Amino acid sequence: MHTLTLSPLRADGISVRYGERRVLSDVSLTVPPGARIGLIGENGVGKSTLLRVLAGAETPDSGIVSRPRRVGFLWQEVRFRPEDTLAALMEDALAEVRAIENELEAASLALADDDPAAARRYDEALSAAERAEVWSAESRRDALLDGLGVGAIPLARRLSEVSGGQRSRFALAALLLGRPDALLLDEPTNHLDDAAAAFLESQLVGWNGPVLFASHDRAFLDSAATALLDLDPTRTGTTVFGGGYSAYLAEKAAERARWEKQYADEQTELAALKHAVDVTARSIAWSGKVRDNDKFVKSYKGNTLDRQISRRIRNADGRLDELTKTQVRKPPKALSFSGIPAGFQRLGSPRLGEEAGSLLQADDLHVPGRLTLGRFAVEADSRVLVTGPNGAGKSTLLSVLAGRIVPLVGTVHRRRGLRVELLEQDVRFADPTQTPRRIYELALGERRAETVPLSGLGLIAPRDLDREVGLLSVGQQRRLALALIMARPPHVFLLDEPTNHLSLGLATELEEALGGYPGAVVVASHDRWLRERWSGEVVAL
């Protein structure tokens, strides 16, 4: 076997600005061959931008990129025309492989000239052919399509004739088929089921070149990444965590504990310093008893004590001034469902035919083409996870329970006075010109909005409170929708794919907060991380 030479992927001092907004600031990283680094961070922190810069699809304002010769980049959206066939998509992925194969053939013919340069040319062509696996292209294509769950779809179909999720799987298969020297992937597990995600993990684990990917899939980060790069600005700057997502959580918890301890220690010291400066100095006076005629002793000892007190006050005052300027900010509070309104649990008694313990009960539901279900009941302390493949009816069931959809067949009983709220997958606000602050006030009323201020929930950044909601990202709009529910928690909280469009940190906080929610919780999700750790009831559609 010919020796393969692989180069690392490097970035040094990458900065990108869009108008007045700085997206990336002096970001540096190195991804060696065989490493698989996951990019994480809040929505809008610059993960996709960094991937585009590293792929050469976007030019940074400053900084240097060094990359292997052949870099493959998976965009979030498939960049092909709707009229193109799936066969054309796959064959385009092999264009470089075909060129490498042709070069190897030409280089082998040139060896007949007995020229040292021809030998070097053949050596380089053979190395490239081995990296691209040119001799197994067709069999690899079929294996990739089968592994990603689209092997049964005829390649003669046009892209417009398959679903968005299927197009994404074909694009991923095409990228892997080309065997680039380095892989850059933007949310690669979007539209993948469990089996397809596991297949992708196996492909990346066996990849020889550098791999860098951005993902909100915590299970994928945990199993596929050898390290994580957190682009969120922290107290210590951009941070690299060794290992997968579990290791990241452990390190974040330890960092949080250190932060809280430092804050508490500094606040204790600040209080003591203020006391020393404001109180202690005024209450201390020299109290030695001397004879009336011993004026010298009294004057000498009094002046000495005054100088000692003055020096101590100056020292304390200087330390107080320094610590006031350098103290760490208070750690943000974790997401929680606090501020429950009085009378939260006051509901009417069950109607005739309703079970005593049920808040909400659905029987013999049928929504044509979308959902058929015999019975579904929600009790006061229910924790229900609804699972199933795409199209099984998870979102439809939640919409029926919330009263958004009326089933053609079946009944839905709700306890008198019951409040049900649904956090939808796709959030839409009626007036995109309204600000989050105004939407919050209109939904809750000014008095309630003052009692539980939007800024205090930690979901909307202060800089975004008065921006038009239509200018916010999908993730930011979903945060606002969550804030509206948190401010007035319902008796039954329905969440449709709650971790979609949320940062990793917020998704984890939300799951932990739901464990202490004072009402019933029904979650529909395909999130593997959430499903593997769910401790309540599971309903599979």
Side-chain angles (χ1 to χ4, degrees), residues 1-5 104 119-131 135 208:
M1 177 62 72
H2 192 81
T3 302
L4 303 182
T5 303
L104 179 62
R120 286 194 300 273
R121 176 186 177 188
Y122 179 80
D123 191 61
E124 292 173 358
L126 180 59
S127 176
E130 289 178 344
R131 287 200 303 271
W135 298 283
N208 291 323

Side-chain angles (χ1 to χ4, degrees), residues 354-498:
E354 292 180 358
E355 294 185 12
S358 294
L359 301 181
L360 193 158
Q361 183 178 322
D363 294 291
D364 302 320
L365 298 180
H366 180 60
V367 179
R370 299 172 67 177
L371 175 67
T372 298
L373 185 65
R375 182 179 180 278
F376 191 92
V378 179
E379 299 182 353
D381 57 353
S382 287
R383 294 291 185 273
V384 184
L385 174 64
V386 181
T387 67
N390 292 334
K394 300 188 297 294
S395 297
T396 301
L397 174 60
L398 295 194
S399 294
V400 168
L401 298 177
R404 309 281 180 88
I405 294 177
V406 178
L408 181 67
V409 176
T411 58
V412 179
H413 296 287
R414 298 178 183 85
R415 188 80 64 85
R416 285 190 296 269
L418 186 73
R419 285 198 304 108
V420 181
E421 292 288 350
L422 170 62
L423 180 66
E424 297 179 280
Q425 281 197 60
D426 300 313
V427 176
R428 295 287 184 273
F429 291 99
D431 185 356
T433 65
Q434 292 277 22
T435 66
R437 191 193 304 275
R438 186 57 180 157
I439 291 172
Y440 189 78
E441 290 175 349
L442 290 173
L444 272 70
E446 291 189 5
R447 179 175 296 180
R448 178 68 183 166
E450 289 179 3
T451 305
V452 186
L454 176 57
S455 59
L457 297 176
L459 290 168
I460 303 296
R463 65 176 181 276
D464 296 323
L465 289 173
D466 296 305
R467 290 180 63 196
E468 292 184 4
V469 71
L471 299 178
L472 301 181
S473 70
V474 174
Q476 290 168 320
Q477 291 187 41
R478 206 158 195 233
R479 283 168 169 264
L480 176 56
L482 178 58
L484 294 173
I485 297 174
M486 283 182 60
R488 296 183 66 237
H491 302 97
V492 178
F493 190 8
L494 310 172
L495 301 96
D496 193 0
E497 300 291 357

Side-chain angles (χ1 to χ4, degrees), residues 169-234:
R169 294 187 188 207
F170 271 98
L172 179 56
L175 178 68
L176 298 174
L177 181 60
R179 297 300 297 179
D181 298 328
L183 282 176
L184 299 170
L185 312 173
D186 198 357
E187 298 292 348
T189 61
N190 281 1
H191 310 293
L192 298 187
D193 58 19
D194 289 2
F199 176 79
L200 175 60
E201 290 166 13
S202 69
Q203 291 291 305
L204 298 187
V205 168
W207 205 268
N208 291 323
V211 177
L212 182 68
F213 62 91
S215 180
H216 283 81
D217 186 334
R218 292 166 291 174
F220 183 72
L221 287 165
D222 206 41
S223 57
T226 56
L228 301 181
L229 174 63
D230 189 352
L231 289 181
D232 278 327
T234 64

Side-chain angles (χ1 to χ4, degrees), residues 258-269:
R258 290 192 295 269
W259 187 357
E260 290 176 343
K261 184 178 186 305
Q262 182 180 352
Y263 176 78
D265 290 346
E266 288 182 350
Q267 295 308 303
T268 300
E269 185 179 358

Side-chain angles (χ1 to χ4, degrees), residues 211-408:
V211 177
L212 182 68
F213 62 91
S215 180
H216 283 81
D217 186 334
R218 292 166 291 174
F220 183 72
L221 287 165
D222 206 41
S223 57
T226 56
L228 301 181
L229 174 63
D230 189 352
L231 289 181
D232 278 327
T234 64
R235 297 196 302 147
T236 55
T238 300
T239 310
V240 176
F241 298 89
Y245 190 67
S246 294
Y248 165 80
L249 284 180
E251 179 55 33
K252 291 291 282 187
E255 160 61 14
R256 171 80 182 200
R258 290 192 295 269
W259 187 357
E260 290 176 343
K261 184 178 186 305
Q262 182 180 352
Y263 176 78
D265 290 346
E266 288 182 350
Q267 295 308 303
T268 300
E269 185 179 358
L270 280 169
L273 289 169
K274 289 176 182 176
H275 181 78
V277 172
D278 297 338
V279 179
T280 306
R282 296 175 187 173
S283 64
I284 295 178
W286 182 71
S287 59
K289 296 181 179 180
V290 298
R291 295 186 299 273
D292 289 343
N293 61 353
D294 199 348
K295 303 287 182 72
F296 173 78
V297 172
K298 183 176 181 180
S299 174
Y300 174 78
K301 291 190 175 182
N303 290 338
T304 300
L305 184 58
D306 287 343
R307 287 194 297 270
Q308 291 175 345
I309 294 172
S310 179
R311 184 168 61 252
R312 286 161 57 188
I313 292 174
R314 286 197 305 272
N315 292 340
D317 197 42
R319 173 59 179 156
L320 176 62
D321 184 60
E322 176 191 4
L323 188 55
T324 300
K325 293 175 181 177
T326 62
Q327 64 179 309
V328 299
R329 65 183 178 89
K330 185 177 182 179
K333 66 177 184 179
L335 184 69
S336 65
F337 293 94
S338 58
I340 307 302
F344 177 81
Q345 297 295 348
R346 293 175 188 167
L347 292 170
S349 57
R351 295 185 178 92
L352 184 65
E354 292 180 358
E355 294 185 12
S358 294
L359 301 181
L360 193 158
Q361 183 178 322
D363 294 291
D364 302 320
L365 298 180
H366 180 60
V367 179
R370 299 172 67 177
L371 175 67
T372 298
L373 185 65
R375 182 179 180 278
F376 191 92
V378 179
E379 299 182 353
D381 57 353
S382 287
R383 294 291 185 273
V384 184
L385 174 64
V386 181
T387 67
N390 292 334
K394 300 188 297 294
S395 297
T396 301
L397 174 60
L398 295 194
S399 294
V400 168
L401 298 177
R404 309 281 180 88
I405 294 177
V406 178
L408 181 67

